Amino acid sequence: ADWRDKPPVGVPASHCVNLGFTFTGLETLVSDDTALESFPDAFREGADERAEGRAGETGNNHPDRWESSLRGKDAHAIVSVYADSLDELEDVLRDVLERIDGAAKELDRFHANRLDGKDVEHFGYEDGLSQPTIEGLEPRVGLDDPFPRVPAGEFVLGQQAQPGHPWEPMPEPEHLGRNGSFAAFRVMSQDVAAFHAFLATEADRTGIEPELLAAKLCGRWRNGEPLMMRSPGDPPDHVPRDERNVF
């Protein structure tokens, strides 16, 4: 089947392709200045221009230390490819690249995988627990989210949002933004060894058991349970277990 064909309703997709444009990319496609000016300032300016003054990214986090492909105005679009297996990923990616051959030049490629096939991030915390369930969609498999459903308009332009929202007005004309969304693509370095060393040092200094200290820093235990679910009388190394994963 063509990778662009959606599976029947109720059948999970085994791969997904998303396309996003930078503001520079839109400038090459849209000639209407009024339409371009209708996009939010943060999107129009770009991450590197806002780094020092607005985001406080200085020193080791300064744009001068970023991947060269993520600086400046050279990048016009980003294609995100997800798949259930590496073989399928390569097949879909090959087809995508063949289709855009001659129309665009690949500047860079970034790979990402689930760690050891598990939904656990680098510091050992269960991942994905804080993602809300969108109104009208089924909850993610295996996660029983006890919180109210969130309107799609909180994430997707042109859809119903919570009262007082959306945060930004729709770009004009409407078809430039409807059913789209704004996203940030960032590459971060995570120093796991430094995190564990910090826990060991500060646990000795404060007298707080390292795992409890880690939970206090992150607001949850590594298994996803909120820190607040731990009773004051529990032993210092006690990790609660509530099957709801309510973080």
Side-chain angles (χ1 to χ4, degrees):
D2 193 300
W3 61 267
R4 295 169 298 177
D5 294 336
K6 291 185 178 180
V9 174
V11 177
S14 58
H15 61 258
C16 175
V17 179
N18 286 331
L19 173 64
F21 291 99
T22 65
F23 183 68
T24 308
L26 285 181
E27 284 183 308
T28 67
L29 299 173
V30 179
S31 58
D32 186 343
D33 289 341
T34 301
L36 293 171
E37 290 171 1
S38 70
F39 283 88
D41 290 343
F43 177 64
R44 295 168 57 200
E45 293 170 5
D48 51 349
E49 289 190 17
R50 297 169 65 87
E52 288 189 79
R54 302 300 296 273
E57 293 175 300
T58 59
N60 288 335
N61 300 315
H62 191 275
D64 288 345
R65 304 290 298 274
W66 295 0
E67 298 285 350
S68 59
S69 59
L70 301 180
R71 300 197 305 263
K73 305 294 184 180
D74 290 338
H76 289 176
I78 178 171
V79 180
S80 302
V81 182
Y82 308 87
D84 284 349
S85 69
L86 289 176
D87 288 341
E88 184 169 9
L89 179 66
E90 289 301 322
D91 288 343
V92 176
L93 184 58
R94 187 182 305 109
D95 193 19
V96 170
L97 291 175
E98 287 176 355
R99 292 175 185 274
I100 66 174
D101 185 37
K105 174 184 177 182
E106 184 180 354
L107 296 180
D108 212 335
R109 189 181 300 191
F110 300 92
H111 290 280
N113 294 284
R114 296 170 71 205
L115 297 179
D116 299 324
K118 302 175 182 177
D119 290 323
V120 176
E121 52 80 76
H122 292 76
F123 297 101
Y125 289 81
E126 288 196 25
D127 205 14
L129 302 178
S130 61
Q131 306 307 314
T133 300
I134 299 176
E135 202 169 72
L137 298 179
E138 290 298 320
R140 290 182 58 195
V141 175
L143 295 181
D144 182 18
D145 185 359
F147 294 105
R149 305 301 190 246
V150 179
E154 293 299 300
F155 311 96
V156 182
L157 293 170
Q159 300 298 319
Q160 184 66 41
Q162 293 177 356
H165 296 186
W167 302 102
E168 298 284 355
M170 273 282 288
E172 298 176 356
E174 189 176 272
H175 63 258
L176 271 180
R178 174 167 290 277
N179 290 333
S181 186
F182 292 106
F185 183 83
R186 310 303 292 269
V187 177
M188 297 183 293
S189 175
Q190 297 178 277
D191 195 335
V192 177
F195 179 68
H196 289 153
F198 176 83
L199 291 180
T201 301
E202 292 303 296
D204 287 341
R205 185 180 69 83
T206 60
I208 299 175
E209 198 272 339
E211 278 303 300
L212 176 56
L213 179 59
K216 285 177 176 288
L217 286 170
C218 297
R220 61 177 169 131
W221 299 87
R222 299 197 205 222
N223 66 2
E225 303 307 330
L227 175 64
M228 64 181 289
M229 294 183 67
R230 177 181 180 274
S231 301
D234 286 343
D237 59 349
H238 173 70
V239 179
R241 187 72 221 180
D242 185 289
E243 297 303 324
R244 291 177 299 165
N245 279 327
V246 298
F247 177 75

